[in-house]
Amino acid sequence: MLHNSLLTTAAVLGAFLTQTVSSFSQLSARQTSLETYLTNEEPIAYKGVLDNIGSAGAKVDGAQPGIVVASPSKTDPDYFFTWTRDAALTLKALVDRFLVTKDPSLELLIQDYISSQAALQGVSNPSGSLSSGGLGEPKYYVDKTPFTGSWGRPQRDGPALRATASLAYAKYLIANGNATTAKDIIWPIVNNDLSYVTQYWNQTGFDLWEEVQGTSFFTIIAQHRALIEGSAVAKQLGLTCANCDSQAPQVRCLIQKLWSSSGGYMYADVNANNGRSGKGTNTILASIHSYDQSAACDDATFQPCSSRALSNLKVVADSFRSYQINSGIAQGQAVALGRYIEDVYYNGNPWYLTTTAAAEQLYYALSTWDRIGSITIDSVSLAFFRDIYPSAVAGTFTKGSATYASLTSAVKTFADGFFAIVQKYTPANGGLAEQYSKSNGSPLSAVDLTWSYAAFLTAKAARDGKLPPSWGAQGATSIPTTCSATSATGTYASATNTAWPGRPAPTCGAGTSFAVTFNVKATTAFGQNIFVAGSINQLKNWDATSAVPLSADQYSDSNPLWHGTVTIPGGTAFSYKYIRKDSNGAVTWESDPNRSYTVPTTCQNGQAVATLNDSFR
Ligand SMILES: *[C@@H]1O[C@H](CO)[C@@H](O)[C@H](O)[C@H]1NC(C)=O
Ligand SMILES: *[C@@H]1O[C@H](CO)[C@@H](O)[C@H](O)[C@H]1NC(C)=O
Ligand SMILES: *[C@@H]1O[C@H](CO)[C@@H](O)[C@H](O)[C@H]1NC(C)=O
Ligand SMILES: *[C@@H]1O[C@H](CO)[C@@H](O)[C@H](O)[C@H]1NC(C)=O
C-alpha cells in the first residue's frame, strides 16, 4: 500500500517494510537527521491513514467501506467514530496524493469514501435529517449509524470540508474526460453540502475542537473556499450555484471582521463568550486550508504568505512559549504548538497536527514567494520577519537579491524547526497520537490519530513542493463595503447514485448495509417529537431515552410525516415501535402489538434501501 517513489528503490522499500519498527527502535527518530526522519516517517504516516479506513483498514474492524475512523482508540478516549471533518481533511490529503501518484487502489478508496458520504448524508441524527440541518452532525458510528448521545453539535465546517474533498476528485474526473461521473455521482452530494453552507454559514455552531459555540475562523474559511470552488465546478458541469455566488462575498466579509489589527492576529472564535484570548492554531489550520498555489499573498483569503497570516503565526506561536517543553527555546525559533493556551483537554498539551500546520503554512509561503518572485514586508508582517531575521525592514525584496535569499532561508529554517519539534516527540515506532505532553513530550490521548498522519503528509508534501491544485482564490479578493447577515436556502436531495463506472454494481444480500427509512404519519402538537425504538442495537434495544429521533421537516397538516433513516444489515428481523415525547419529557409508546419487519436482501434499482410506511397508533 506504500507509494514506492518515496524511497529510492523497491529493495529499500521491502527492507523498510519488514524493519520499520526495529529500525526505529534501534535508532530513535529523534536521533536521526530531519531529512531521514521525514523520509522514514512518510510511509508510516500513509499506512497509518490507510489502517484507519474501512473496510480493509488493519486497525478498524467493523468500519464500512470508505469510512475514515478517527483513531482505533476505543477507551480513554473513545475515538472509534467517523467525524465528518477529520474524514474530509484526510480524504483531501489522499486526493491530492492521488493526483501525484495516480495509484488505482487509492482511487477506489476515494470513490468508497464518496459513496459512504452519500449514505451518511441520508442518516437522520440528532442534528436533523438531510434537509433539516442533519449535515451538521459531527460524528457517526463506523457502521454509519447515528450517534445519539449528547455532543457539541452542530459543527458547520464538516459539510464544507466534505464538499472540498469531493470537489478535488470531481475536478480530476472533469479534467480527464469523466465529467459525467462527476455530475451524476459527486455533484448531488456536493450540492447538499453547499446548500447547508449557504443556509447556515451565518449561524453559530461548535468549532473544530468541539468546545466553543460561536463563529470559528476555521469554519468560515472552510465555508468560503467550498462556495468558491463549488460554484466554479458547477459551471464546468454546465450547472450553477447561485446561492454560492450570493453568499461567498458575505462570508469573505465576515472573515475580515475577525482580524485584530491591534493584536496582529485572527480571532480563532467570535460570537462566543468563552473567556479566551482568541489566539489559537485553528487560524493556522485555516491558512493552510485556504492556500491556493495560484494566488498572491492576499489578506482577503488569508493566504499563508499574507501579512496577516504571518503576523498571526508569530502571535499564536508566541502564545505557546510558556509550555514547559518550550522553555529555553529562543524567540524566533519554532516551538511545540497546542490548540490554544487556555486548553484544559487532557490538561492542555501540544498536538502533532497543529505543530505541523505551522511548518506547512511557511512552506506554502515560500512556494508563493518563489512563484511571484518577491517578498514584501509591511508594518503588519515586520514583527514576524524581525523575529527570524533581526535586520528585516519594510520593503519589497526580489528573487535574486541577497536579502530575498536571507529571508527565505530564515523562513525555511523556522518552518523546518516545527517539523523538528514533531520529530523530537515522535516515539520510536513512528506512531502519531493526538497530543504530546507539554511537560515531557511523551505521546498522549488517542493513539494513531488519522488526522495527525494526514497532517504530517500534507506538511511533508508542501515541503517537497507537491502543491495542491488552485481553488480559485485569485478571483475571490473583493470585499463588500458592508457586511450583512444573510442566508440562502437551496435544495437537498438524496444522493442515490453510487454506481461508479468500471466497478461492479453493488450487490445486496444478507449482511449488506441497507438504508432503512421509517416513515410514520403522526399528528403532533408543538414541542412534541417522534422517535423509533426496537429490538436491535440500531434501534437502541427498546431504550426510550436513546431512541432514534425522526425529522418533521416534511410535516404538514395534510401530511403529518415524521421520517428517519437507519442503517441495518440485510436480512435482519426486528420488532419496533414509535414513541412520542412531550416537551416536558413525558414519553408515550405506541399501543400494542409490537411492529415487526425483516430487512430485504435484494437491491432496489441497484441500491440497498428499504422504506417503511406506518401510522402512529
Ligand atoms: C453574521 O454576519 C454578520 C455580518 O457579517 C456578522 O456581524 C455576524 O457576526 C454573523 N453572525 C454569525 C453567527 O456568523
Ligand atoms: C472514465 O472514463 C473512462 C473512459 O470512458 C472509463 O473507462 C472509466 O471507467 C471512467 N472512470 C470513472 C471513474 O468515471
Ligand atoms: C414488545 O417487545 C418488548 C421488548 O421485547 C416486550 O417487553 C413486550 O412484551 C412486547 N409487546 C408485545 C405486545 O408483545
Ligand atoms: C412504502 O412506500 C414505498 C413508496 O410507495 C414503497 O416503495 C415501499 O414498498 C413501501 N414499503 C412497504 C414496507 O410496503
Side-chain angles (χ1 to χ4, degrees), residues 217-240:
F217 186 68
F218 177 81
T219 299
I220 54 175
I221 278 280
Q223 291 170 330
H224 178 252
R225 175 183 174 153
L227 297 181
I228 298 293
E229 203 167 15
S231 174
V233 171
K235 286 193 186 78
Q236 287 185 286
L237 295 173
L239 305 166
T240 55

Side-chain angles (χ1 to χ4, degrees), residues 133-420:
L135 300 183
E137 181 70 2
K139 69 173 191 182
Y140 301 81
Y141 288 109
V142 305
D143 64 358
K144 297 193 276 201
T145 56
F147 169 75
T148 53
S150 64
W151 207 253
R153 61 168 68 92
Q155 296 179 16
R156 307 196 193 279
D157 55 342
L161 297 169
R162 176 166 56 202
T164 294
S166 307
L167 287 166
Y169 181 55
K171 286 161 76 168
Y172 164 81
L173 291 176
I174 294 167
N176 287 279
N178 290 98
T180 309
T181 306
K183 190 171 181 175
D184 293 351
I185 300 183
I186 304 178
W187 183 256
I189 302 166
V190 169
N191 181 66
N192 288 332
D193 283 334
L194 295 176
S195 290
Y196 184 89
V197 173
T198 62
Q199 185 171 354
Y200 297 104
W201 71 269
N202 200 211
Q203 294 187 25
T204 58
F206 279 83
D207 68 331
L208 77 172
W209 309 136
E210 315 196 283
E211 293 174 353
V212 177
Q213 177 144 35
T215 299
S216 157
F217 186 68
F218 177 81
T219 299
I220 54 175
I221 278 280
Q223 291 170 330
H224 178 252
R225 175 183 174 153
L227 297 181
I228 298 293
E229 203 167 15
S231 174
V233 171
K235 286 193 186 78
Q236 287 185 286
L237 295 173
L239 305 166
T240 55
C241 182
N243 289 344
C244 298
D245 299 339
S246 71
Q247 301 305 298
Q250 285 305 330
V251 183
R252 191 154 66 242
C253 210
L254 180 57
I255 286 170
Q256 318 309 315
K257 288 173 75 171
L258 271 60
W259 174 245
S260 165
S261 53
S262 57
Y265 65 97
M266 276 291 175
Y267 282 104
D269 301 280
V270 296
N271 294 326
N273 185 7
N274 59 4
R276 294 184 196 162
S277 65
K279 296 170 193 170
T281 46
N282 129 4
T283 57
I284 296 178
L285 295 174
S287 88
I288 63 179
H289 187 73
S290 197
Y291 168 65
D292 187 318
Q293 61 156 302
S294 304
C297 295
D298 297 317
D299 279 336
T301 53
F302 206 55
Q303 287 304 304
C305 59
S306 65
S307 294
R308 285 184 178 180
L310 293 172
S311 174
N312 179 72
L313 188 148
K314 170 195 153 50
V315 172
V316 171
D318 284 351
S319 72
F320 292 101
R321 291 189 182 274
S322 57
Y323 280 163
Q324 194 181 326
I325 56 167
N326 291 336
S327 70
I329 298 180
Q331 188 71 23
Q333 283 180 24
V335 286
L337 303 182
R339 305 190 298 178
Y340 47 91
I341 197 61
E342 303 90 346
D343 200 354
V344 294
Y345 184 55
Y346 278 79
N347 223 1
N349 294 287
W351 286 37
Y352 293 100
L353 69 93
T354 53
T355 309
T356 58
E360 188 169 337
Q361 181 188 331
L362 296 171
Y363 296 134
Y364 287 149
L366 286 163
S367 297
T368 304
W369 291 322
D370 185 62
R371 177 177 53 82
I372 63 183
S374 64
I375 292 183
T376 296
I377 301 180
D378 62 16
S379 59
V380 175
S381 59
L382 184 59
F384 163 84
F385 283 105
R386 282 236 165 115
D387 263 4
I388 58 170
Y389 184 69
S391 57
V393 291
T396 293
F397 308 95
T398 50
K399 199 164 144 183
S401 70
T403 308
Y404 178 93
S406 303
L407 288 169
T408 49
S409 162
V411 172
K412 175 73 165 31
T413 303
F414 191 37
D416 280 352
F418 288 101
F419 249 148

Side-chain angles (χ1 to χ4, degrees), residues 517 519 597 604 610-614:
T517 297
N519 286 328
Y597 184 66
Q604 290 181 23
T611 307
L612 290 164
N613 314 296
D614 297 320

